[in-house]
Amino acid sequence: MNVLAWVLQIVLAVAFLASGGMKVVRPKPALVSAGMGYADDFTDGSIKAIGLIEIIGAVGLILPWLLNVVPILTPIAAVGLALVMAGAVTVHIRRKEQFAPGLVLGVLSLVLAVLRFSS
């Protein structure tokens, strides 16, 4: 199970780093023109904050468990990211947009949380 948990940690960390990094680096109009229409519903600051939360969560998925420094932070980060994805799914459903990627990331985050809380 440890191998599965590590695979999930790495896959989720890469996904959230990429998603969060894009939100932090790109301006709101660039995100909207790239097909992220939901960005129109949020301020630029809110989008940057969401991106920063995703980046911090991605780091929290890896470093605490890897360094064995307060490893309880890894499943807590996974729960936090699952909550962020619950919000994302809600926004996408309300906008009648594709919500499956957020749902998958959220469920995988919860699976990781269960695996790491029980380790």
Side-chain angles (χ1 to χ4, degrees), residues 41-63:
D41 293 349
F42 297 93
T43 65
D44 196 46
S46 295
I47 295 167
K48 303 277 186 234
I50 294 167
L52 188 58
I53 289 167
E54 289 178 350
I55 291 169
I56 292 168
V59 171
L61 292 177
I62 300 292
L63 287 185

Side-chain angles (χ1 to χ4, degrees), residues 6-20:
W6 270 112
V7 169
L8 280 174
Q9 282 172 250
I10 292 166
V11 167
L12 288 170
V14 168
F16 283 114
L17 276 174
S19 174

